[in-house]
Amino acid sequence: MSYTGPEFDPPQQRRPRRGPLTVALAALVPGALLGWLVYEEVGGGGSGAEVRTASPAPASSASPLSSAPGTASSAASPGASPDASPGDDGKVSGTPSARPGGTGPLKGKVVVIDPGHNPGNFRHTAEINRQVDIGTNRKECDTTGTSTNDGYTEARFSLDVAHRLRTLLEQQGATVKLTRDGDSPAWGPCVDERARIGNTARADAAVSIHADGSAPGNRGFHVILPGSVHAGAADTRPIVGPSHDLGVRIAGNFLRETGEPPSNYLGEGTGLVTRTDLGGLNLSTVPKVFIECGNMRDSKDAALLTSGAWRQQAAQGISEGIVSFLRRS
């Protein structure tokens, strides 16, 4: 999801590699964020969460994927095909529907996963450019999303991670619903409908999965939290607190599982950003966050985002954050 310019920009020239001093300073950021997130979760930031321990962030001199726990593969191969791992985004016909959970610790909990954008949006420009009410103003129904310079689209990435995440949550007993799945619907849904799906399901948690389209050299993940909005059809005041808790837990676990650093261009190193201009958050009546898993236009992030093994780690980190949130709520 891009923040400036067209939603699907042409490939850009890559920046020269950063010098050793910049790399050394950047290595300090994940550790600082992880400590801050633990502080938040034990109550220092007012979240009131139970005490949990977290593993140190991987050092920059080692592969962030070489020792990340909880994955099917011990290392992601950046050069691997995006479809190299099982659980990728094969098309599934039919209207997205809730899949009942099992008998695990999350039995009775409902999670809505919102894979950003849709591959069909490129062929339905009139439909996705239609303006919809997001409470504070009107915006496009949806956008095309971004892609890596080699053409791996955000829509394809987000659905693959959503499938992996659904499997992990169902193994914990949760009932999981996707806002889109495979080739259904043909485009969209619109951002207001994406929020409505979570509201109608009375989700205990909702997560929208994205990857950013910022400039090369900008890298890292960030979790987008809803700001306080009370305008028109939007009233986020009841969900701001629980959404913050959900976002903090996802950010901490995502960092630990993937080794991906927090964004170096948004969030001031916290990995957390608050926004009031996103219909998917403004119109939600259930705890909801967005996660931008990395920047598709940065070569280092793109190498991770196109790796099936790394996407499994991403799903694991998001899942652990959701499970942590649901087990205390």
Side-chain angles (χ1 to χ4, degrees):
M1 187 165 65
S2 299
Y3 287 95
T4 58
E7 287 291 329
F8 193 77
D9 304 320
Q12 304 173 33
Q13 294 295 320
R14 297 174 181 171
R15 291 181 180 175
R17 297 183 63 180
R18 289 172 287 177
L21 177 59
T22 303
V23 173
L25 290 174
L28 300 176
V29 176
L33 171 63
L34 191 55
W36 179 81
L37 290 170
V38 172
Y39 173 74
E40 283 281 309
E41 291 202 30
V42 302
S47 67
E50 74 274 18
V51 175
R52 293 197 306 115
T53 59
S55 304
S60 63
S61 59
S63 167
L65 308 178
S66 60
S67 60
T71 63
S73 173
S74 62
S77 173
S81 163
D83 303 315
S85 292
D88 206 357
D89 49 341
K91 290 191 174 183
V92 179
S93 298
T95 303
S97 59
R99 289 180 21 170
T103 58
L106 297 186
K107 181 177 175 58
K109 298 292 187 181
V110 177
V111 179
V112 168
I113 305 172
D114 178 30
H117 311 288
N118 189 317
N121 286 358
F122 292 101
R123 299 184 295 274
H124 294 272
T125 55
E127 290 89 345
I128 67 168
N129 286 331
R130 177 173 61 86
Q131 299 283 300
V132 298
D133 182 14
I134 66 166
T136 53
N137 60 297
R138 298 182 69 83
K139 290 184 71 173
E140 295 87 352
C141 156
D142 200 8
T143 58
T144 60
T146 187
S147 77
T148 66
N149 289 340
D150 292 332
Y152 182 58
T153 65
E154 180 183 0
R156 186 176 169 193
F157 166 84
S158 65
L159 185 59
D160 177 66
V161 174
H163 283 168
R164 297 168 188 269
L165 177 57
R166 177 174 63 187
T167 298
L168 292 169
L169 291 171
E170 287 177 343
Q171 289 171 351
Q172 295 283 326
T175 296
V176 180
K177 182 178 180 67
L178 270 61
T179 59
R180 68 174 181 90
D181 198 359
D183 57 2
S184 179
W187 53 271
C190 294
V191 294
D192 56 341
E193 177 62 18
R194 290 173 186 266
R196 193 175 302 117
I197 291 170
N199 298 344
T200 301
R202 297 184 178 180
D204 296 287
V207 177
S208 189
I209 300 171
H210 290 266
D212 207 1
S214 187
N218 291 343
R219 67 168 308 212
F221 80 92
H222 62 279
V223 176
I224 305 175
L225 313 173
S228 183
V229 173
H230 186 212
D235 186 0
T236 62
R237 293 173 297 177
I239 69 163
V240 166
S243 296
H244 178 271
D245 186 21
L246 173 64
V248 166
R249 291 169 183 272
I250 288 176
N253 283 281
F254 190 85
L255 170 62
R256 187 179 67 245
E257 289 295 330
T258 66
E260 173 76 347
S263 170
N264 63 5
Y265 59 101
L266 288 169
E268 299 180 343
T270 67
L272 301 173
V273 175
T274 299
R275 292 180 64 175
T276 59
D277 64 325
L278 298 176
L281 294 180
N282 286 0
L283 300 175
S284 182
T285 59
V286 301
K288 184 174 182 179
V289 299
F290 281 42
I291 180 167
E292 299 277 0
C293 296
N295 176 20
M296 291 194 129
R297 294 304 177 81
D298 176 78
S299 59
K300 292 181 179 178
D301 274 4
L304 300 176
L305 295 165
T306 54
S307 162
W310 187 88
R311 293 196 300 274
Q312 185 66 29
Q313 294 176 329
Q316 185 72 37
I318 298 169
S319 172
E320 290 180 3
I322 294 172
V323 170
S324 172
F325 172 77
L326 293 180
R327 295 192 71 174
R328 73 172 292 270
S329 61

